[in-house]
Amino acid sequence: QCSSVVHSQKAMTDQPQTDLGLYKPPQTVRGMTELDRAAFSQTVSVPAIRIPTIILNKVVKSLKKVALQRPGLKRVVEEHNEDGNKDSSKGEHRLLLLDPNSITSADSFGSEEAEALKAYGVAQEIQKYQLKLTYENLKSEEILRAVLPEGQDVTSGFSRVGHIAHMNLRDHQLPYRKLIGQVIIDKNPGVTCVVNKTNTIDSTYRNFQMEVLAGESNMVAKVRPVRERLPALMKGSQKIHVVMNLPALALEFLDAFRGLLGPEPDQSLFCPYDNLPQVHCYGFSKEDDAQRDVVERAEVSFKISLQGRCSVHLVRNVAPNKEMMCVSFTLPRGVLYSTHTQDRSPSQESFPCVRTLTASPFTC
């Protein structure tokens, strides 16, 4: 079993491919359905600059914006002689590999890099280095763009629960699903099982049938309740978002936040937790005023007034006269701690200002 927080991430993106001047996939991998990692290997020519070893760290730091960035790839390499072997006779210089998208000649350096090279006495000269790229050095989107038919997107997000990655593949991706699953495992440490949804989600609890694409068939994962993680997260500076994305019942579960963290810690002994979480609660409504309906139902469950203290937006129309809405608000400290929720009327609760999301990444 694996203990984790449920989260979503992008497995592949439709952003422009990086390092266009570096990796051009062999035509032999196009249409591959069974992963052959060795088939992705190739040797490419990349720019490099010769740096004295004694000042290597300082120069590399100054050139970090134009240095080659690749998974599992060393940016600094040893020099080779004309026979292709390491030149061990001197060892006084090293080569820094550069990004071919940024540096194509000695004149490609920006003023900042050029000044640094001059200050350190490094010749602003570029040489070519024959670099072997393997499957391990490639990004998942590069591999999948090379395999899938040209012109077809490879965009596909996945949700991760513990060791399980859950995908929603499109029809044109299905012939490559086994390969895609293995690539996700290879490129995402900790993922040991990849599944794909095989039917629509039409049940109250959003259950669905799954097909194992790659890895072990272990469907058991342990997910941490909010209570265990929240205190530690509230000490940090990163924004906390709690997504309640079961629209059929989520509004009824809001009462679970009342007194969730028990008695409030003595602030004279502990730093106050000022980083309060923001809740995004989804719900269905068949009322004419869907926005008012979901807010009122949230207030009944939450036992606190949300008027003027929350933002509501339409997610989508799911059926005739049935809307999916999302209510967003910041959890007040007085609700999270039990000592602040007893014998208080809703009007007495302290509720901080709500930050309205301009672009919500959460979807149902």
Side-chain angles (χ1 to χ4, degrees):
Q1 295 187 359
C2 182
S3 179
S4 175
V5 175
V6 181
H7 65 280
S8 298
Q9 64 189 74
K10 297 299 288 183
M12 299 152 274
T13 69
D14 52 7
Q15 298 296 320
Q17 182 178 337
T18 56
D19 294 344
L20 288 174
L22 179 61
Y23 180 70
K24 294 180 177 60
Q27 288 298 317
T28 54
V29 304
R30 182 74 67 187
M32 178 187 294
T33 56
E34 184 174 343
L35 184 60
D36 179 6
R37 298 176 181 84
F40 291 88
S41 297
Q42 64 178 226
T43 299
V44 297
S45 180
V46 299
I49 187 168
R50 191 169 183 257
I51 303 173
T53 306
I54 192 171
I55 56 172
L56 181 64
N57 291 337
K58 294 179 180 179
V59 178
V60 170
K61 185 177 181 180
S62 299
L63 300 182
K64 62 181 180 180
K65 292 182 180 179
V66 295
L68 183 63
Q69 302 285 348
R70 275 272 146 183
L73 196 66
K74 293 182 179 180
R75 294 181 294 177
V76 177
V77 297
E78 295 186 33
E79 287 188 288
H80 291 74
N81 54 33
E82 295 180 356
D83 297 328
N85 298 317
K86 293 181 182 179
D87 189 352
S88 57
S89 61
K90 296 181 180 180
E92 298 176 355
H93 292 80
R94 294 289 187 273
L95 295 179
L96 172 64
L97 305 184
L98 303 172
D99 182 359
N101 288 323
S102 302
I103 304 296
T104 56
S105 67
D107 298 328
S108 300
F109 289 104
S111 58
E112 183 179 344
E113 288 84 12
E115 290 176 5
L117 292 174
K118 183 178 180 181
Y120 289 118
V122 177
Q124 195 170 317
E125 299 176 355
I126 296 299
Q127 56 181 282
K128 292 297 183 180
Y129 182 86
Q130 298 304 306
L131 174 68
K132 183 177 180 180
L133 284 178
T134 67
Y135 174 85
E136 285 69 28
N137 306 132
L138 303 181
K139 302 169 186 177
S140 57
E141 62 266 27
E142 290 176 318
I143 296 169
L144 296 172
R145 286 186 191 280
V147 170
L148 269 66
E150 291 185 86
Q152 292 188 358
D153 67 83
V154 297
T155 305
S156 184
F158 68 86
S159 297
R160 179 172 174 178
V161 183
H163 63 283
I164 305 170
H166 157 231
M167 308 192 73
N168 293 316
L169 296 180
R170 298 186 175 98
D171 289 342
H172 71 272
Q173 297 170 330
L174 292 178
Y176 309 93
R177 61 189 185 277
K178 300 292 185 180
L179 180 145
I180 293 174
Q182 188 58 56
V183 171
I184 297 303
I185 287 180
D186 291 345
K187 299 300 179 179
N188 294 273
V191 173
T192 59
C193 176
V194 180
V195 299
N196 184 47
K197 182 183 70 175
T198 58
N199 68 339
T200 58
I201 301 176
D202 54 7
S203 62
T204 300
Y205 293 98
R206 302 179 68 78
N207 297 322
F208 50 86
Q209 297 297 315
M210 296 177 291
E211 175 191 12
V212 177
L213 303 183
E216 59 184 354
S217 298
N218 179 10
M219 296 295 123
V220 179
K222 180 180 179 181
V223 181
R224 294 178 181 171
V226 174
R227 188 199 315 258
E228 297 178 25
R229 293 289 311 277
L230 202 51
L233 292 173
M234 288 171 64
K235 293 180 182 179
S237 59
Q238 292 186 331
K239 293 182 179 179
I240 307 167
H241 295 271
V242 179
V243 184
M244 303 176 68
N245 63 346
L246 181 63
L249 296 170
L251 290 169
E252 300 177 18
F253 295 155
L254 285 172
D255 61 345
F257 287 109
R258 296 186 63 81
L260 179 69
L261 301 183
E264 185 168 14
D266 186 343
Q267 294 191 17
S268 65
L269 300 177
F270 299 93
C271 294
Y273 300 154
D274 294 326
N275 187 20
L276 296 170
Q278 187 169 28
V279 174
H280 307 276
C281 185
Y282 290 80
F284 292 133
S285 177
K286 295 183 179 180
E287 301 298 323
D288 292 336
D289 191 342
Q291 178 171 321
R292 178 179 179 180
D293 175 51
V294 293
V295 171
E296 289 180 347
R297 287 160 56 198
E299 290 175 330
V300 170
S301 180
F302 206 42
K303 296 182 175 62
I304 188 172
S305 174
L306 295 178
Q307 297 302 321
R309 300 164 173 172
C310 67
S311 64
V312 186
H313 72 267
L314 171 68
V315 178
R316 63 187 176 94
N317 177 266
V318 295
N321 301 319
K322 186 177 182 180
E323 312 286 359
M324 182 189 296
M325 310 294 293
C326 179
V327 185
S328 299
F329 55 90
T330 301
L331 276 173
R333 185 189 310 278
V335 169
L336 283 171
Y337 295 102
S338 58
T339 55
H340 283 224
T341 60
Q342 297 174 356
D343 302 324
R344 283 193 167 196
S345 65
S347 61
Q348 292 176 303
E349 295 284 7
S350 172
F351 206 110
C353 295
V354 172
R355 295 163 289 172
T356 303
L357 292 180
T358 56
S360 174
F362 309 111
T363 57
C364 284

